[in-house]
Amino acid sequence: MLDAQTIAIIKSTVPVLEVHGQTITKTFYQTMFKNHPELLNVFNHANQRQGKQPTALANAVYAAAAHIDRLEEILPVVRGIAQKHRALGIQPEHYPIVGENLLAAIKTVLGDAATEEILDAWAKAYGVIADVFISVEAEMYREAAEKKGGWRGFRRFVVDRKVKESDVITSFYLKPQDGQAIASYEPGQYLTVRVKPEGQEFTHLRHYSLSTAPGQPYYRISVKREDAVEGRPAGVVSTYLHTRIGEGDVLELSAPAGDFTLDPSSNLPLVLLSGGVGLTPMMSMLETALQSGAQREIVYIHAARSGKFHAMKEQVVELAQAHDNLRTYTVYETPEAGESSDKTGYIDLAWLKSVAAADSDFYFCGPVPFMKAVRRALKEWGVPDERIHFEFFGPADSLEDTLN
Ligand SMILES: Cc1cc2nc3c(=O)[nH]c(=O)nc-3n(C[C@H](O)[C@H](O)[C@H](O)COP(=O)(O)OP(=O)(O)OC[C@H]3O[C@@H](n4cnc5c(N)ncnc54)[C@H](O)[C@@H]3O)c2cc1C
Ligand code: HEM
């Protein structure tokens, strides 16, 4: 445990570091990747370039430091991050590397203001925070490995089927190469794919939500191809999967992870909202909720740009025909000639009120503007936080920046 003086120093310097937050973390990453280029095998280069990851890590360190004497209060946040770390294969020996480089960056950016006393206090605080992460992650590694059909690290899976779902989304059905059992998962969880496309110097890791209910002899992920557009290069892994990976090819996966999961004990109506490829965890939740046999009322709302971007349409129609407790709605931003949807444009509160009840559990996932609009509408409607659940298809911390 830290002494009272160290805690006081940490608490009084958090606001100072917050001011320099992004500069410190940018400096930190530059130095760390220079000293340890092998870490470029695990960090997402696009997130680095766009500053998303530096912000996420900075905020997490300051949040942890501000709670240094009561870290148990932020354990749910730690667990969410630790899920990602476990999925990526982060190890205890990585923590001192981050610690040393973070301390060095604090020293560089603060200059004379960074006294020995302050640096010592931060070294100690980082040690305490790192130990919490390391022990939470050790437990997660153990659970993932010891679970029936589970494993540690990355396991080889063969692409059994590759199925086009829309103009931009394709599903991959994945079976283990060793022919053994696979671990079950919670609807809403994701797999992490590790690839090294030809010509790339480093491996690249990406998370993909499982897009069916658990209980199949395969895993299914559904990937949106991120094409190049003006000023933005094509996505490395999604285009590789779409263009280079076919049936019979092998992908390396870490075991299912993530804390965005359906609460099976709730009897409240369930509202699942998705925008674009954000439908993947919703499909898993939808199938699971229907298979459970509970006559829970379910509203499935999917927003897509237009019909040709509307994935898994027939599958949802069939589910609605087979289940009286399911109502489904589509929202097309710009329908093409001859296409119809339940709403045109964007989801808004007035429309939401006409199709769902406030007293429901809400789960949503999609592009940032979609998530922003949905969360704002739910807050305005007075839906309490504990019934609002969302997944962000990028570093979770950017939610706070964008959704507040
Ligand atoms: C929990 C979770 C679940 C997810 N589930 C799914 C899922 O089910 N299906 C799915 O398709 N995706 C999912 N994702 C997103 C997925 O992990 C990848 O982020 C996505 O496939 C893009 O990866 P990529 O390698 O193709 O693109 P990256 O190479 O990572 O690039 C990402 C974006 O950044 C842009 N970019 C890159 N460099 C720059 C630059 N210098 N300047 C400006 N822009 C730049 C690219 O154009 C691209 O649009 C999920 C993410 C998370 C965190
Ligand atoms: C106490 C120390 C640490 C804190 C507070 C921390 C915090 C975070 C946060 C907030 C995220 C974003 C989570 C998200 O995507 O939702 C993240 C992701 C990540 N962390 Fe950590 N982390 C720590 C240590 C480490 C270490 C030691 C490593 C390994 C060298 C590491 C590697 C990563 C990677 C690779 C990602 C994914 C980021 C990306 O590629 O976009 N982290 N971490």
Side-chain angles (χ1 to χ4, degrees), residues 32-297:
M32 185 169 77
F33 290 142
K34 204 166 130 229
N35 295 336
H36 292 273
E38 75 282 2
L39 289 179
L40 286 165
N41 283 305
V42 285
F43 279 90
N44 179 321
H45 302 202
N47 287 349
Q48 289 298 321
R49 277 185 223 112
Q50 294 168 86
K52 290 184 192 169
Q53 170 59 15
T55 317
L57 197 135
N59 289 346
V61 170
Y62 303 136
H67 289 80
I68 194 70
D69 50 347
R70 47 200 160 90
L71 281 174
E72 62 288 352
E73 283 179 20
I74 57 157
L75 265 183
V77 181
V78 171
R79 293 188 66 80
I81 300 167
Q83 290 270 355
K84 289 241 169 95
H85 283 165
R86 199 279 286 150
L88 295 162
I90 305 306
Q91 299 299 328
E93 57 270 27
H94 289 131
Y95 280 85
I97 300 177
V98 165
E100 274 160 35
N101 287 284
L102 191 59
L103 258 285
I106 290 178
K107 200 173 168 184
T108 309
V109 174
L110 291 190
D112 289 345
T115 61
E116 278 305 308
E117 208 184 19
I118 290 179
L119 292 175
D120 271 3
W122 273 91
K124 283 187 197 153
Y126 176 81
V128 170
I129 297 167
D131 284 348
V132 173
F133 274 90
I134 291 169
S135 69
V136 169
E137 284 159 23
E139 181 61 21
M140 287 177 176
Y141 277 109
R142 200 183 54 73
E143 265 174 34
E146 290 178 3
K147 204 170 170 180
K148 188 166 172 283
W151 68 97
R152 188 175 283 273
F154 286 82
R155 181 171 169 192
R156 290 165 68 82
F157 280 72
V158 180
V159 177
D160 189 51
R161 283 204 297 146
K162 185 177 174 186
V163 177
K164 186 173 166 171
E165 306 283 4
S166 78
D167 265 23
V168 288
I169 299 175
T170 290
S171 286
F172 296 82
Y173 290 72
L174 305 157
K175 287 190 168 172
Q177 196 177 36
D178 58 23
Q180 302 294 308
I182 53 172
S184 190
Y185 54 89
E186 301 283 319
Q189 287 196 305
Y190 55 83
L191 292 174
T192 303
V193 177
R194 178 170 72 185
V195 296
K196 189 167 184 296
E198 255 171 53
Q200 291 280 338
E201 194 182 349
F202 298 102
T203 59
H204 293 267
L205 296 144
R206 297 290 183 273
H207 311 293
Y208 292 102
S209 303
L210 288 139
S211 61
T212 67
Q216 310 289 345
Y218 54 79
Y219 290 134
R220 187 181 81 175
I221 57 170
S222 308
V223 179
K224 179 187 169 212
R225 194 183 63 240
E226 297 289 349
D227 291 325
V229 287
E230 179 127 16
R232 268 184 21 200
V236 174
V237 176
S238 62
T239 46
Y240 173 71
L241 293 174
H242 272 255
T243 58
R244 293 297 162 93
I245 294 294
E247 291 174 3
D249 287 336
V250 170
L251 289 175
E252 292 183 319
L253 305 176
S254 66
D259 57 357
F260 174 66
T261 56
L262 184 66
D263 172 7
S265 68
S266 173
N267 292 322
L268 289 176
L270 174 63
V271 182
L272 304 170
L273 295 120
S274 57
V277 75
L279 91 174
T280 51
M282 301 308 151
M283 287 302 295
S284 181
M285 291 185 183
L286 175 61
E287 286 185 5
T288 308
L290 291 172
Q291 284 171 14
S292 78
Q295 283 306 305
R296 187 176 186 188
E297 195 192 321

Side-chain angles (χ1 to χ4, degrees), residues 335-394:
E336 295 192 12
E339 285 179 354
S340 70
S341 59
D342 298 293
K343 175 164 174 46
T344 302
Y346 299 108
I347 293 173
D348 56 40
L349 181 54
W351 182 77
L352 209 50
K353 281 181 173 172
S354 72
V355 297
D359 195 20
S360 305
D361 288 322
F362 293 88
Y363 290 78
F364 59 93
C365 182
V368 176
F370 169 89
M371 307 243 300
K372 247 187 198 172
V374 172
R375 195 174 93 152
R376 281 218 188 100
L378 296 180
K379 297 296 286 177
E380 205 181 317
W381 203 1
V383 179
D385 283 343
E386 61 273 20
R387 289 201 266 106
I388 301 181
H389 312 271
F390 46 78
E391 177 77 298
F392 191 81
F393 277 3

Side-chain angles (χ1 to χ4, degrees), residues 321-341:
Q321 281 165 354
H323 297 274
D324 290 343
N325 57 326
L326 170 64
R327 279 182 291 128
T328 69
Y329 299 92
T330 52
V331 181
Y332 287 163
E333 185 184 327
T334 38
E336 295 192 12
E339 285 179 354
S340 70
S341 59

